[in-house]
Amino acid sequence: MPKQVDHQERRETIARALWRVVEQRGTTHLTLREVAREAGISLGQLQHYFASRAELLGFAMDLAGEQGARRVGRALAGLGERPHPRAVLRAMLVELLPLHADSRVTSRMSAAYVLEALHDEEVHARARGALLQGRGAVEQVVRQAIADGLIAADRDPVVETDLLLALTGFTTLLELRVVEPDAVLAAVDRHLDGLFAWEAGSAGP
Amino acid sequence: MPKQVDHQERRETIARALWRVVEQRGTTHLTLREVAREAGISLGQLQHYFASRAELLGFAMDLAGEQGARRVGRALAGLGERPHPRAVLRAMLVELLPLHADSRVTSRMSAAYVLEALHDEEVHARARGALLQGRGAVEQVVRQAIADGLIAADRDPVVETDLLLALTGFTTLLELRVVEPDAVLAAVDRHLDGLFAWEAGSAGP
């Protein structure tokens, strides 16, 4: 099915053009026309692949999400055969934060997508679905670590998962250079130390 | 100086119109024309008070920040004469999160402002300044609590302040209904418990 492959390839090329526009000129005035110009095609050609701004943004977000998952996968593969859950959670969190160029584009696009979601039910449902899926993956690691005795049994896995996800709040602090990357990594490590250091907890053995 | 008062009043009226536009229709396509329409004035009249979109957004952000500070002040006043630093930090955090209509508008506007800041140096400097000021206020409470022996002396005040600010990451989770308000409050309380429960820490007395 070479036709279908071409179609998918063209859609990915357009999504990458969108990423470049987001990275270079921001999302405030993002238009399909601008993305078409960046992709070197006409607006009409772009609209053949994406009927609306929301559809293009959704596709570009999905593609960015897949690439992010692949980056996390590579980071986990580098941790050996049975990585410690602390290292797994750290790799997931670090990938979500705008600490390098690839994740910065994803993070900026996500921010624009969330704003769009507030006034577009379809975008809202899609963004919510992706976040719930990510939340589920983190909660699974937390629950397994509790089952394995690596996190204290009196910790609530739902609360601890929410707290881990909330650390994505470092995104804004990084983007505005209120906190430097080293300080963010120190804080993430401090949080993970507190989560896993159950010898130190009052409920410890 | 009735003229100056009028000028300030008119600017506040326009800022409130901007808030309504942000609340009702989002920030993605926010234009001065739309805000003028909402304020019931012409675009030319609006431009007499604000030369640019960035200037209007900056003023509206400052005004929202002042109102937020006043809400925190009222919440703190309700805590009695010498409130516990845990209650002070909780009041500050809760006010930053989109848990009620007023703070939701501020939070959505901030999100739009941060995106604008990525490609506008003046907005970046202004947003960064406001965040650094807020960060300083939180760090002061944390340092005093350490000095008073309410937070363990081996906690790093900079890292703990960063972790508290990172909890604003709940904003996105709330907006996309990935986490409910009650769960956010439970997680904030859990984090504060961990910060103040120094009897439980390995470095405790």
Side-chain angles (χ1 to χ4, degrees):
Chain A
M1 305 174 290
K3 257 268 145 103
Q4 273 215 337
V5 171
D6 279 1
H7 188 80
Q8 178 66 11
E9 264 184 22
R10 181 55 78 97
R11 280 165 69 95
E12 292 194 9
T13 301
I14 295 169
R16 276 173 230 279
L18 170 72
W19 294 351
R20 287 196 300 278
V21 172
V22 168
E23 177 69 9
Q24 289 157 23
R25 294 195 286 279
T27 52
T28 315
H29 302 285
L30 186 70
T31 59
L32 290 186
R33 190 175 300 276
E34 208 172 357
V35 176
R37 196 183 305 132
E38 178 68 31
I41 58 177
S42 72
L43 180 60
Q45 283 174 305
L46 187 147
Q47 284 167 332
H48 174 68
Y49 294 98
F50 297 103
S52 69
R53 179 190 151 103
E55 196 188 320
L56 170 54
L57 262 178
F59 178 80
M61 273 307 302
D62 286 351
L63 193 62
E66 280 164 31
Q67 295 206 336
R70 232 172 290 153
R71 285 195 299 268
V72 171
R74 274 200 298 273
L76 296 185
L79 295 174
E81 230 173 89
R82 292 192 63 214
H84 194 282
R86 187 190 184 289
V88 174
L89 292 173
R90 191 179 194 277
M92 287 171 154
L93 277 173
V94 166
E95 181 51 44
L96 283 172
L97 294 170
L99 290 165
H100 56 84
D102 288 341
S103 59
R104 195 157 45 235
V105 174
T106 308
S107 151
R108 288 180 180 189
M109 221 162 49
S110 300
Y113 203 60
V114 169
L115 280 181
E116 192 110 352
L118 301 181
H119 300 273
D120 184 322
E121 274 180 41
E122 209 186 300
V123 174
H124 193 282
R126 199 159 170 168
R128 182 166 184 263
L131 253 174
L132 280 172
Q133 203 181 349
R135 198 199 168 290
V138 172
E139 189 174 329
Q140 204 183 335
V141 178
V142 171
R143 284 189 184 277
Q144 189 60 50
I146 292 174
D148 292 344
L150 297 168
I151 295 176
D154 66 346
R155 294 291 186 109
D156 182 329
V158 173
V159 170
E160 297 302 339
T161 300
D162 289 343
L163 281 174
L164 286 167
L165 289 180
L167 293 181
T168 54
F170 276 123
T171 299
T172 301
L173 302 172
L174 278 166
E175 290 280 24
L176 294 182
R177 290 193 297 106
V178 171
V179 179
E180 295 299 318
D182 283 353
V184 169
L185 293 176
V188 166
D189 280 328
R190 167 70 197 84
H191 184 80
L192 289 172
D193 286 346
L195 181 59
F196 282 91
W198 84 291
E199 297 84 5
S202 55
Chain B
M1 305 175 291
K3 259 263 143 111
Q4 275 215 338
V5 172
D6 278 1
H7 188 81
Q8 178 65 12
E9 267 184 21
R10 181 54 78 96
R11 280 165 70 94
E12 292 193 9
T13 302
I14 296 169
R16 275 172 230 280
L18 169 72
W19 294 351
R20 287 196 299 278
V21 172
V22 168
E23 178 68 9
Q24 290 158 23
R25 295 195 285 280
T27 51
T28 315
H29 303 285
L30 185 71
T31 60
L32 289 186
R33 190 176 300 276
E34 207 172 357
V35 176
R37 195 183 305 131
E38 177 67 31
I41 58 176
S42 72
L43 179 60
Q45 283 175 305
L46 187 147
Q47 283 166 332
H48 174 68
Y49 294 97
F50 297 102
S52 69
R53 179 190 150 103
E55 196 188 321
L56 170 54
L57 263 177
F59 179 80
M61 274 307 302
D62 286 350
L63 193 62
E66 280 164 32
Q67 295 205 337
R70 232 172 290 152
R71 285 195 298 268
V72 171
R74 273 200 298 274
L76 296 186
L79 295 173
E81 230 173 90
R82 294 192 60 216
H84 194 283
R86 186 191 185 289
V88 173
L89 292 173
R90 190 179 195 277
M92 285 170 155
L93 277 173
V94 167
E95 180 53 43
L96 283 172
L97 294 169
L99 291 165
H100 56 84
D102 287 341
S103 58
R104 195 156 47 236
V105 175
T106 308
S107 150
R108 288 180 180 188
M109 221 163 49
S110 301
Y113 203 60
V114 169
L115 280 181
E116 193 109 354
L118 301 181
H119 300 274
D120 183 321
E121 273 180 41
E122 208 185 300
V123 174
H124 194 283
R126 199 160 170 167
R128 181 166 186 263
L131 253 173
L132 280 173
Q133 203 181 351
R135 198 198 169 291
V138 172
E139 189 175 329
Q140 203 183 336
V141 178
V142 171
R143 284 190 184 276
Q144 189 60 50
I146 293 174
D148 292 345
L150 297 168
I151 294 176
D154 67 344
R155 294 291 186 108
D156 182 328
V158 172
V159 170
E160 298 302 339
T161 300
D162 289 344
L163 282 173
L164 286 167
L165 289 180
L167 292 180
T168 53
F170 276 122
T171 299
T172 302
L173 303 172
L174 278 167
E175 290 280 24
L176 294 182
R177 289 190 298 106
V178 171
V179 179
E180 295 299 317
D182 283 353
V184 169
L185 293 176
V188 167
D189 281 328
R190 167 70 197 86
H191 183 80
L192 289 171
D193 286 347
L195 181 59
F196 282 91
W198 84 293
E199 297 84 5
S202 56

